[in-house]
Amino acid sequence: MEIKSAEFIISNTRIDKCPKNNLPEYAFIGRSNVGKSSLINMLTNRPKLAMTSATPGKTLLINHFLINKEWYLVDLPGYGYAKRGKKQQEKIQQIIEQYILQREQLTNLFLLIDCRLEPQRIDLEFIEWLGENGVPFAIIFTKADKLSNKKVLENVNSYLEHLKEQWEELPPHFITSSEKKIGRAEVLNYIESINRQL
Ligand code: GTP
Ligand code: MG
């Protein structure tokens, strides 16, 4: 799919302030610093569209980016940043949960996992919560440039094996690097294939 236009539309903390039209939305979630905002920039080929930072906790709001005037990419705050105060942590959690559970336009959620790490309890619990709530999602393994191809595949396979212990059917998954632009066509084609079915 060709990205002809990508525009920042609005940031906010409440879904009743999100865009009112009924265009499909693809949102990105995962731990702080996993690479959500960077991935949006890589997919759209616009390095400064979403704000990124080496320090976790950069994205604090729900951010809507209109793509090709037809659908949205949505950048969400990350979860699990321990240095946030408890109050802020709870507020972020509430923003994320409200968006995921109540936003009817949410068509598919991408859950981002750092391909370098062993399965983390916080992500596994999050996946379980998605399952309990019937949220359609796919997994994106990020930062593939940080390991050899062989090691990436080993880690991804072992992650999927771990999920198989709980799940009969695995969600679709993608391997990406925003740094090296790996996985761009695969993720965009996936979005396009869903858009076509709508
Ligand atoms: P929060 O907004 O804090 O939740 O973080 P985020 O998930 O949006 O992460 P962000 O995109 O801001 O990236 C965090 C850090 O990881 C930045 O320093 C990025 O440059 C780096 N990063 C993101 N993706 C990649 C990647 O594919 N490869 C490498 N090497 N670094 C990456
Ligand atoms: Mg971010």
Side-chain angles (χ1 to χ4, degrees), residues 36-38 51-52 58-59 75-78:
K36 301 174 291 296
S37 304
S38 303
M51 277 190 279
T52 66
K58 179 71 181 172
T59 309
D75 196 11
L76 295 172

Side-chain angles (χ1 to χ4, degrees), residues 72-86:
Y72 291 101
L73 287 177
V74 179
D75 196 11
L76 295 172
Y79 55 74
Y81 179 40
K83 284 196 187 147
R84 258 180 208 143
K86 194 160 181 256

Side-chain angles (χ1 to χ4, degrees), residues 19 26-27 35 38-39 42 54-55 58 60 66 76 82 90 92 102 111 118 121 129 135 149 172 174 186 191:
Y26 297 84
S38 303
L39 187 69
M42 188 273 267
T55 317
K58 179 71 181 172
L60 295 169
L66 180 62
L76 295 172
E90 279 168 8
I92 297 272
Q102 296 180 28
L111 171 62
E118 299 262 297
R121 189 204 283 204
W129 179 81
V135 180
N149 288 347
F174 302 91
E186 287 78 3
I191 293 175

Side-chain angles (χ1 to χ4, degrees), residues 130-197:
L130 292 177
E132 281 164 14
N133 287 287
V135 180
F137 72 100
I139 296 182
I140 293 186
F141 293 95
T142 64
K143 307 195 183 185
D145 58 286
K146 298 257 196 186
L147 296 174
S148 68
N149 288 347
K150 182 166 170 273
K151 188 68 187 150
V152 170
L153 287 178
E154 262 175 39
N155 284 7
V156 166
N157 286 333
S158 109
Y159 205 101
L160 297 175
E161 282 303 318
H162 191 97
L163 289 183
K164 266 192 208 155
E165 290 168 16
Q166 291 259 358
W167 293 73
E168 251 170 64
E169 214 180 314
L170 291 177
H173 74 276
F174 302 91
I175 295 173
T176 65
S177 160
S178 298
E179 193 80 17
K180 294 261 165 75
K181 299 196 186 297
I182 296 167
R184 182 173 184 269
E186 287 78 3
V187 174
L188 289 178
N189 287 343
Y190 180 68
I191 293 175
E192 190 175 29
S193 73
I194 298 177
N195 277 340
R196 260 196 251 114
Q197 290 165 32

Side-chain angles (χ1 to χ4, degrees), residues 11-23:
S11 291
N12 56 69
T13 57
R14 288 176 26 195
I15 59 164
D16 55 352
K17 298 267 176 66
C18 289
K20 294 276 186 286
N21 49 33
N22 281 323
L23 299 178

